[in-house]
């Protein structure tokens, strides 16, 4: 009798444990779907932008939603590992959502924001960016295995590329406020030129980060190196630089930080290549 009673109590406990596991297993999927919801929301707010007079509020929200999508993208993988529910389905779903949030949404912001740029060229740059983002995500799925430590990436990660484009949208209202303060100063005559320069410069930045996504340049995994790996002197300097930039220029620091991350690695690789070539030439001359 006691044995039957114990078994009857054990069944509900096991059932509760199974239900709890299933609940935790759903969390990573919900976070991933939150990513694509933010991407679609970004496209929706960017669609409200008027080509001639850009609405700073809608532009700011469109860019901000891409950053929120980045947070969801960062959390869903960690949640899947904590729930011990990593799967091929989750990886494919994550890539599909990233293609919308970090591929289509930034390209759409570019088209609606940089209207002074040449129309066909702007469209071509936006399409090229989307293609590079999709190729980057497909290559990441194929080349990344379960044993990968994720300490670095081959090519600029698509969230970082999207963040570089979205950073201009987030900083633009602050930029407009700054140049509006110059109306009564000697710089009033160059105020419209600065506005046009900001909107004309983004297509070149977008084209560059699109090409960097499909490159083989190594980029560090900032989150893993700062919070999971061993912190060194360079990491502390980067953190101090980021905090100082945010304190000094506020919203304007966002594009500065993302551009520094996107372009520092290729510039460093180019400098190393030039230095090695110069060293080999000097050795050849010495040997000759």
């Amino acid at each position: 009798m006691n044995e039957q009673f114990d078994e009857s109590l054990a069944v509900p406990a096991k059932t509760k444990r199974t239900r709890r596991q299933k609940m935790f297993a759903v969390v990573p999927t919900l976070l991933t779907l939150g990513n694509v919801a933010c991407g679609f929301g970004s496209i929706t707010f960017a669609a409200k932008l008027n080509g001639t007079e850009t609405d700073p509020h809608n532009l700011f929200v469109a860019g901000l939603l891409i950053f929120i999508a980045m947070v969801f993208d960062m959390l869903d993988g960690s949640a899947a590992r904590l729930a011990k529910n990593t799967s091929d389905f989750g990886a494919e779903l994550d890539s599909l959502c990233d293609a919308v949030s970090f591929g289509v949404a930034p390209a759409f912001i570019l088209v609606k924001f940089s209207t002074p740029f040449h129309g066909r060229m702007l469209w071509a740059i936006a399409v090229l960016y989307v293609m590079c983002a999709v190729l980057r995500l497909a290559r990441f799925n194929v080349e990344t295995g379960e044993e990968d430590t994720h300490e670095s990436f081959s090519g600029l990660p698509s969230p970082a590329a999207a963040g570089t484009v979205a950073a201009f949208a987030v900083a633009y209202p602050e930029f407009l406020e700054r140049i509006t303060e110059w109306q009564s100063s000697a710089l009033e005559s160059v105020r419209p030129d600065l506005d046009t320069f900001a909107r004309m410069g983004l297509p070149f930045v977008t084209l560059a980060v699109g090409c960097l996504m499909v490159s083989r340049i190594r980029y560090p995994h900032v989150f893993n190196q700062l919070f999971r790996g061993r912190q060194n002197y360079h990491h502390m300097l980067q953190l101090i630089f980021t905090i100082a930039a945010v304190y000094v220029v506020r919203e304007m620091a966002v594009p500065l930080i993302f551009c520094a991350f996107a372009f520092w690695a290729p510039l460093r690789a180019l400098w190393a290549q030039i230095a090695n070539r110069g060293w080999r030439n000097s050795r050849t001359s010495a040997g000759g």
Side-chain angles (χ1 to χ4, degrees):
M1 188 72 178
N2 290 336
E3 291 180 0
Q4 292 178 355
F5 180 76
D6 292 341
E7 288 178 2
S8 65
L9 289 177
V11 172
K14 185 176 181 181
T15 304
K16 288 181 180 179
R17 195 160 47 245
T18 304
R19 287 177 181 174
R20 195 179 298 114
Q21 290 174 351
K22 288 181 179 180
M23 279 180 53
F24 283 124
V26 173
V27 171
T29 302
L30 292 177
L31 290 171
T32 306
L33 294 177
N35 172 5
V36 75
C38 290
F40 181 74
S42 176
I43 295 171
T44 302
F45 276 92
K48 298 178 182 179
L49 299 176
N50 190 346
T52 55
E53 296 182 3
T54 302
D55 181 4
H57 172 72
N58 287 329
L59 183 66
F60 176 82
V61 175
L64 182 63
L65 284 170
I66 290 181
F67 284 106
I68 298 175
M70 291 171 62
V71 175
F72 280 118
D73 182 61
M74 182 177 62
L75 294 177
D76 61 0
S78 301
R81 284 186 289 271
L82 286 174
K84 297 180 180 179
N85 193 39
T86 56
S87 64
D88 293 336
F89 171 79
E92 296 301 326
L93 179 65
D94 184 69
S95 293
L96 290 172
C97 295
D98 287 353
V100 176
S101 299
F102 308 136
V104 179
F108 196 76
I109 289 177
L110 170 69
V111 171
K112 299 295 288 186
F113 175 64
S114 297
T115 48
F117 203 80
H118 188 278
R120 290 183 180 178
M121 287 186 63
L122 182 64
W123 184 85
I125 291 172
V127 171
L128 181 63
Y129 175 87
V130 174
M131 291 178 177
C132 290
V134 172
L135 288 172
R136 173 70 177 83
L137 292 166
R139 190 181 74 184
F140 178 80
N141 282 352
V142 172
E143 295 182 352
T144 305
E146 293 183 0
E147 66 280 357
D148 199 300
T149 59
H150 296 292
E151 288 296 321
S152 63
F153 296 104
S154 176
L156 180 65
S158 58
T164 305
V165 179
F168 282 81
V170 170
Y172 184 72
E174 175 71 14
F175 177 74
L176 273 184
E177 199 175 304
R178 293 284 181 91
I179 62 177
T180 303
E181 294 173 357
W182 299 343
Q183 287 183 353
S184 59
S185 67
L187 297 173
E188 181 184 0
S189 58
V190 300
R191 185 171 63 89
D193 296 332
L194 288 174
D195 185 15
T196 304
F197 177 77
R199 299 169 74 177
M200 291 281 283
L202 184 57
F204 296 103
V205 175
T206 306
L207 178 63
V209 295
C211 295
L212 288 172
M213 276 193 288
V214 294
S215 70
R216 290 291 181 178
I217 299 173
R218 303 301 300 184
Y219 282 87
H221 194 306
V222 177
F223 181 81
N224 282 352
Q225 290 191 5
L226 284 179
F227 298 101
R228 296 179 187 172
R230 287 174 91 184
Q231 287 78 28
N232 56 31
Y233 178 71
H234 295 289
H235 294 157
M236 296 304 298
L237 280 180
Q238 292 171 2
L239 187 60
I240 293 172
F241 168 77
T242 302
I243 295 173
V246 172
Y247 178 76
V248 172
V249 290
R250 293 181 292 178
E251 289 89 346
M252 299 296 292
V254 182
L256 176 65
I257 292 169
F258 273 86
C259 286
F261 178 79
F263 298 117
W264 172 251
L267 289 175
R268 184 177 59 184
L270 179 63
W271 174 255
Q273 187 176 1
I274 293 173
N276 289 335
R277 185 178 298 176
W279 181 74
R280 285 197 299 268
N281 289 340
S282 62
R283 287 199 62 182
T284 303
S285 302

